Every structure is written in structure tokens, then in C-alpha cells.
Amino acid sequence: MIDNFALWWRGRSTREQRLLWVMAALVALLFLWLVVIRPLGDALDRARQRHNAAVVARAEAQARRAPAGGVSNATPPLPLDAFVTRGAADAGFAAARVTARGPSRASLTIDAARPQALLGWIARLEAQGVAVETLRARANADRTIAVEAALRARNAP
């Protein structure tokens, strides 16, 4: 068989032999691309996707492990409505209406508050052991928000 190929090869002109060498080199490059380079690129893309998914999963796990805003396991003094009323007055929300729903629960209503100040104060309440069960905010025409919230002491049933 090799003798047949050698005979066939010698029957080609020099120009044809050169063209056949170029064709063989191009086929080898194509084979290298399809068998080695492309699968490695795909594997690298899959590894990047797995890495990104792992980074997101790790961030979610850390967020679940360490509550946002530095929330601690502190317990606010009871009754909760007096604690929240005092905190609202200290934060500058004198018009806040706090209604007791038991010793460890309260509802909060504020007709007009700046969003940044209100959310900062709520974050401080959470750090002091007050859990926000529900929070409903509506935008007012004057760049303030009206808020209704249900609060409870964190360790309360």
C-alpha cells in the first residue's frame, strides 16, 4: 500500500505536491482546532459559569448566615410600643403614631418621612432586636414617603 502511495505521489507534479502539503497542513490545523482548542475553550467557559454560580451561592449563604445591617440577637425592652415611640422621637419622627399590639408587638404609622432617614432608623431598630414583619411605603408628592409597618420584638413568639 505504501508502494502504491509512493507511486501515486511521484506521479504528481511539483506544484500538485506542494498544494497537497498545504492541504494536509490545513486539515491538520482544522483537526487541532476541532479536537483540542475548541473543547478546551468550551471547558473553560463551563468552568467560568460554575465559578460564577459558586460565587453567587457563597454570597447568598453569607447573607443568610450574617443578617444584613448588623442585626443582632438583642432583645428590645418591653413594652415594644414605648421603646419604638422613644426611638422615633429620638430619630426626629415626632409625628410617628405607634400602637401597641401586645407587649412584644406594635404597629407604626408615619405620614411623611425622608426615605434615607426612615430606613436608617429602621436598620438601627433591627440592630436593637426589633423585627419588621411588614412594611408598606407610599411616595408622597413632596419627596417623602408615608409608612405603615408591623413590628415585633425579635425573640418574641
Side-chain angles (χ1 to χ4, degrees), residues 116-128:
Q116 298 87 351
L118 179 73
L119 295 176
W121 174 61
I122 289 175
R124 287 191 300 277
L125 280 178
E126 287 180 333
Q128 295 170 345

Side-chain angles (χ1 to χ4, degrees), residues 28-50:
L29 283 174
L30 179 65
F31 182 77
L32 180 71
W33 172 259
L34 291 175
V35 174
V36 177
I37 296 172
R38 193 166 170 194
L40 285 176
D42 292 344
L44 183 60
D45 287 342
R46 285 190 305 272
R48 284 186 182 133
Q49 289 173 350
R50 285 192 315 270

Side-chain angles (χ1 to χ4, degrees), residues 5-75:
F5 179 75
L7 184 62
W8 175 81
W9 183 259
R10 275 185 252 121
R12 305 290 122 215
S13 69
T14 305
R15 178 175 174 235
E16 289 175 334
Q17 288 178 354
R18 287 181 186 153
L19 286 173
L20 287 171
W21 276 114
V22 169
M23 182 187 72
L26 289 175
V27 167
L29 283 174
L30 179 65
F31 182 77
L32 180 71
W33 172 259
L34 291 175
V35 174
V36 177
I37 296 172
R38 193 166 170 194
L40 285 176
D42 292 344
L44 183 60
D45 287 342
R46 285 190 305 272
R48 284 186 182 133
Q49 289 173 350
R50 285 192 315 270
H51 177 262
N52 290 339
V55 167
V56 168
R58 180 176 185 252
E60 289 172 350
Q62 285 178 335
R64 282 191 303 268
R65 186 190 73 204
V71 176
S72 67
N73 290 332
T75 303

